[in-house]
Amino acid sequence: MALLEMHEWYDLARDTNWTPAYVAEDEIFPPELSDPYGISVEQWETFDEPYKVCYRDYVETQRDKDIGAYSVKSALARADFFKKASPHWKALLALHFSPIGFAEFHSASAFARMTRFSRAPGMRNMATFGTLDEMRHGQIQMYFAYEFIKQDRVFDWAHKSSKTENWIIISLRHALDDIEHTRDAISAAIMTNFAFEQGFTNLQFIGLSADAAKAGDHTFATMLQSIQTDEARHAQIGTPLISIMIENGRKAEAQRLVDIGFWRIWKQFSALSGISMDYYTPLEFREHSLKEFMHEWVVDQFARNMKAIGLDLPWYWDYFLHDIETFHHSQQIGVYVYRATEWWRPIACVSPAERDWLEEKYPGWNDTYGKCWDVVIDNIRGGRFEKTVPEVPPLICNMCGLEVTGIAGVGRQVNGRTWNATNFHLDHEGRRYHFCSEPCKWVFELEPARYQGHRSIIDRLLDGTVPPGPDGFYEYMGQSFEERGVCGYDYQWVDGYDLPRAAAAE
Amino acid sequence: MTTADDAGNLVGPVMRAGDIADAVLEAIQEDNEGREVITEAHASYIRIKVADECFVRFETVGDVLGRTVTRGDIESNMPSFAGFIRTEPDGIRFVAR
Ligand SMILES: [Fe+2]
Ligand SMILES: [Fe+2]
């Protein structure tokens, strides 16, 4: 029997709205979950999926994608790639797999909520596939990380991390809870599908795959791109939603959702992709710098989409352009010096050759971030290893959960260089909140009630939530003694600065 | 510095490097006649860009490869694209808006 082509039945099959007879419409689709913007159901029904797929094709395609990715993995497993990988690549894999794996599973619930509560039948279709996609992303990354556990316990954190109160996980969870999990279906979709997925996932899942291919890690490269082929499809949910919002006089609201989501996710990717691309990827395998990848994927490809659908660039765009050249450099310093608070083995990646590369990609790096590293290097060379670890905890941003750091090239002059370590702060209902940047503060001020109850890891340290004692802090963060990060090169990376090996081994 | 306007209206798929990517490129050259097709090769992916509009026809890709090519074959090898996508019965269209 000849089957009808998808386009011959699609519109008819999509039409799954009906008028309920036994309950009120509002009870099935409560406005606070389905549409706080008061747009009519007729308008939502105009949602036309730009990227259409039917279930039969979906299952077949997804099966083929999995066969492709898993067969590359099993064909290359014997090559023992991981055993021979450098501390650079091991740190990069740990940084990717441990926060992301379970966050993908969580995304499945965000898509499921869109599937359940959207009033647009076309959106419900796309979100159904998106739910299944995100389950796949959770499973495949958990499974690929699992392979490494027998060689390195760090990969236990692919599963464990999301259940801990580690400061990095608190930071990630705060951002994802904010945009994916604690808003109505429409707002969450605009923030997640448009600002987050269309905006940033290409960076980590395609950009980094180029580095992985160069490094010979074809399993990782294939897995990343396989995942991204799903994202390319379900991220398209955001576009028709924004168009419907704009057509119905809700541009300001849509713009605000994008501006918040874009900033929040940028901060996460700045640390994740920034450190991965500009530091953890071995020098000889770097395809581009973070800045170059950001220009390709975000400043060019994504920003054009924003304007084409009728939005404006976010108000903080100029600041953002500066931030893509600066923020991750200071975060990398923090991640290295506070390494015991991380579960993997952080590495510095500032050998003389790596510094030359950083200076070339980010002119002025040596004169700013390099000066901070000089102090670290000097202490290691002098055998004063304890001095490479700060005694005081850092100031943590009450929005992004990352360290409030100096940003080179912005603000006031210090020692002849422009150096901004401004703590943007706000006093609200009897307490002071600290922020790393104007946009993080702006997000808070938009809706203080949403954010004011959150306590950063430092707030928890000060208010007694974290148990006292030398181990209390680490135990609170889920880190046994063996799960506290040490320098991945055992300080020998400074050998390039002529340190005798014997001194470093002491 | 790149600004959001520099890339003009270049649209088209980003393909995972491999035989499907090569075939898609060839098919795009054939089906978008008279328009310049720009490619940008990276270690693991290739960007294919055409001004304003770019069409990938499944049958042409299949002719290049000598086998049937489905929508799923393209999707499995297309981690991203520039511009906006329109799925059509016989292919995929990318438009600037
Ligand atoms: Fe995903
Ligand atoms: Fe996704």
Side-chain angles (χ1 to χ4, degrees):
Chain A
M1 187 187 80
L3 288 165
L4 287 175
E5 293 284 331
M6 182 175 89
H7 68 272
E8 294 170 297
W9 55 262
Y10 193 92
D11 287 350
L12 183 66
R14 174 176 61 183
D15 191 9
T16 50
N17 274 358
W18 72 92
T19 309
Y22 295 95
V23 284
E25 181 95 12
D26 268 13
E27 288 177 47
I28 303 176
F29 295 110
E32 59 270 36
L33 280 165
S34 293
D35 172 22
Y37 305 106
I39 294 171
S40 73
V41 69
E42 291 75 24
Q43 282 298 310
W44 288 123
E45 284 169 355
T46 65
F47 182 108
D48 187 32
E49 307 90 298
Y51 198 142
K52 294 187 177 67
V53 64
C54 66
Y55 189 69
R56 190 178 60 210
D57 291 348
Y58 175 82
V59 173
E60 201 178 307
T61 304
Q62 298 304 97
R63 185 200 57 198
D64 289 348
K65 287 180 189 176
D66 269 356
I67 289 172
Y70 283 84
S71 59
V72 170
K73 177 179 180 294
S74 52
L76 297 178
R78 265 170 269 132
D80 266 343
F81 180 86
F82 186 81
K83 251 183 219 160
K84 291 184 213 120
S86 64
H88 269 75
W89 201 252
K90 285 176 179 165
L92 182 143
L93 290 174
L95 183 56
H96 175 88
F97 280 110
S98 29
I100 291 179
F102 231 90
E104 301 261 23
F105 262 139
H106 294 160
S107 286
S109 96
F111 276 87
R113 203 172 310 105
M114 296 174 206
T115 305
R116 165 62 183 84
F117 289 106
S118 171
R119 304 193 74 194
M123 175 172 165
R124 296 200 294 264
N125 272 351
M126 289 188 81
T128 303
F129 297 127
T131 309
L132 299 173
D133 289 338
E134 300 297 2
M135 285 181 194
R136 171 177 178 255
H137 302 172
Q139 287 170 344
I140 192 171
Q141 290 179 97
M142 214 70 73
Y143 185 69
F144 278 44
Y146 184 78
E147 182 188 21
F148 303 138
I149 292 182
K150 53 184 176 290
Q151 292 166 40
D152 191 342
R153 281 284 305 276
V154 161
F155 288 87
D156 195 23
W157 280 68
H159 197 280
K160 173 179 173 172
S161 66
S162 75
K163 275 75 79 185
T164 73
E165 300 296 326
N166 180 276
W167 72 275
I168 290 179
I169 299 305
I170 294 174
S171 161
L172 176 67
R173 190 191 293 141
H174 188 279
L176 297 183
D177 280 0
D178 187 13
I179 70 160
E180 286 191 61
H181 304 300
T182 57
R183 295 180 190 258
D184 64 279
I186 304 305
S187 307
I190 289 174
M191 295 174 122
T192 304
N193 304 136
F194 190 70
F196 174 8
E197 296 186 326
Q198 270 199 46
F200 288 103
T201 54
N202 289 319
L203 197 66
Q204 181 79 4
F205 286 86
I206 309 180
L208 197 63
S209 83
D211 290 348
K214 280 189 159 175
D217 194 347
H218 298 291
T219 306
F220 188 47
T222 305
M223 183 207 76
L224 289 172
Q225 292 207 74
S226 178
I227 288 171
Q228 199 60 16
T229 64
D230 297 351
E231 297 289 314
R233 171 173 31 73
H234 68 230
Q236 304 311 314
I237 292 174
T239 320
L241 279 184
I242 292 172
S243 297
I244 293 172
M245 292 275 285
I246 292 175
E247 281 157 23
N248 288 275
R250 297 293 190 174
K251 177 182 166 179
E253 288 85 346
Q255 180 79 48
R256 178 176 290 185
L257 292 168
V258 172
D259 290 0
I260 298 170
F262 185 87
W263 183 258
R264 301 235 49 195
I265 295 304
W266 153 242
K267 287 279 121 177
Q268 293 297 314
F269 276 81
S270 169
L272 174 70
S273 304
I275 291 175
S276 299
M277 291 168 167
D278 285 352
Y279 291 92
Y280 286 6
T281 297
L283 195 53
E284 61 273 30
F285 305 137
R286 289 180 195 167
E287 171 93 347
H288 296 300
S289 65
L290 174 82
K291 176 184 162 188
E292 288 161 346
F293 274 130
M294 283 294 294
H295 275 268
E296 175 187 357
W297 293 106
V298 184
V299 180
D300 177 11
Q301 179 172 313
F302 180 67
R304 266 203 293 147
N305 285 6
M306 281 187 86
K307 296 208 281 194
I309 61 173
L311 292 175
D312 303 315
L313 295 177
W315 62 268
Y316 48 73
W317 195 252
D318 289 341
Y319 183 89
F320 164 72
L321 289 177
H322 188 76
D323 219 36
I324 67 180
E325 300 185 29
T326 50
F327 187 71
H328 65 296
H329 296 305
S330 41
Q331 294 305 308
Q332 161 67 355
I333 298 171
V335 165
Y336 183 74
V337 298
Y338 288 106
R339 53 196 170 275
T341 67
E342 294 126 29
W343 56 88
W344 70 95
R345 286 178 296 281
I347 49 178
C349 313
V350 287
S351 67
E354 287 167 310
R355 288 176 76 138
D356 289 346
W357 184 88
L358 286 161
E359 181 65 32
E360 181 202 321
K361 298 293 182 184
Y362 303 91
W365 186 95
N366 266 319
D367 219 18
T368 49
Y369 304 103
K371 297 281 182 215
C372 300
W373 283 109
D374 286 342
V375 177
V376 176
I377 290 161
D378 202 48
N379 281 324
I380 296 176
R381 296 179 80 186
R384 300 179 298 274
F385 302 119
E386 75 291 346
K387 285 205 158 178
T388 66
V389 180
E391 270 170 39
V392 287
L395 194 61
I396 291 285
C397 175
N398 279 112
M399 182 54 62
C400 70
L402 299 171
E403 203 185 332
V404 177
T405 53
I407 302 290
V410 176
R412 64 203 167 87
Q413 292 264 320
V414 179
N415 296 335
R417 283 185 295 277
T418 317
W419 191 264
N420 169 19
T422 310
N423 167 25
F424 297 89
H425 62 267
L426 175 76
D427 293 313
H428 178 77
E429 291 184 1
R431 80 155 278 200
R432 175 159 289 196
Y433 295 87
H434 307 281
F435 303 100
C436 71
S437 59
E438 194 65 47
C440 274
K441 182 178 172 214
W442 169 78
V443 173
F444 186 98
E445 284 176 310
L446 285 175
E447 214 182 330
R450 165 176 276 270
Y451 303 107
Q452 68 190 50
H454 175 77
R455 311 193 68 70
S456 77
I457 188 72
I458 300 303
D459 296 335
R460 298 179 203 192
L461 203 58
L462 300 177
D463 73 7
T465 305
V466 173
D471 291 325
F473 184 49
Y474 295 104
E475 278 164 15
Y476 179 77
M477 294 199 295
Q479 296 175 271
S480 65
F481 184 75
E482 294 73 21
E483 292 167 293
R484 296 172 203 170
V486 292
C487 174
Y489 277 99
D490 195 21
Y491 302 119
Q492 291 185 10
W493 58 271
V494 295
D495 282 6
Y497 296 92
D498 297 319
L499 175 80
R501 249 162 214 278
E506 269 167 31
Chain B
M1 181 170 292
T2 331
T3 69
D5 297 312
D6 285 353
N9 288 324
L10 295 174
V11 297
V14 174
M15 302 297 297
R16 186 162 81 92
D19 59 343
I20 302 246
D22 298 340
V24 164
L25 172 60
E26 227 180 296
I28 285 175
Q29 282 163 339
E30 200 173 317
D31 287 327
N32 297 267
E33 238 193 286
R35 320 251 291 285
E36 193 192 358
V37 179
I38 301 163
T39 59
E40 198 185 289
H42 298 261
S44 61
Y45 63 96
I46 170 171
R47 252 180 203 282
I48 305 172
K49 306 189 271 197
V50 183
D52 298 323
E53 196 172 315
C54 171
F55 188 59
V56 181
R57 211 160 65 90
F58 304 138
E59 206 185 322
T60 318
V61 183
D63 289 346
V64 176
L65 286 170
R67 60 181 164 89
T68 309
V69 163
T70 62
R71 183 185 311 281
D73 294 325
I74 306 296
E75 178 180 313
S76 305
N77 288 279
M78 186 177 72
S80 187
F81 50 85
F84 299 91
I85 195 168
R86 301 281 175 265
T87 46
E88 296 181 7
D90 59 339
I92 300 174
R93 192 175 301 279
F94 303 93
V95 292
R97 184 54 196 135

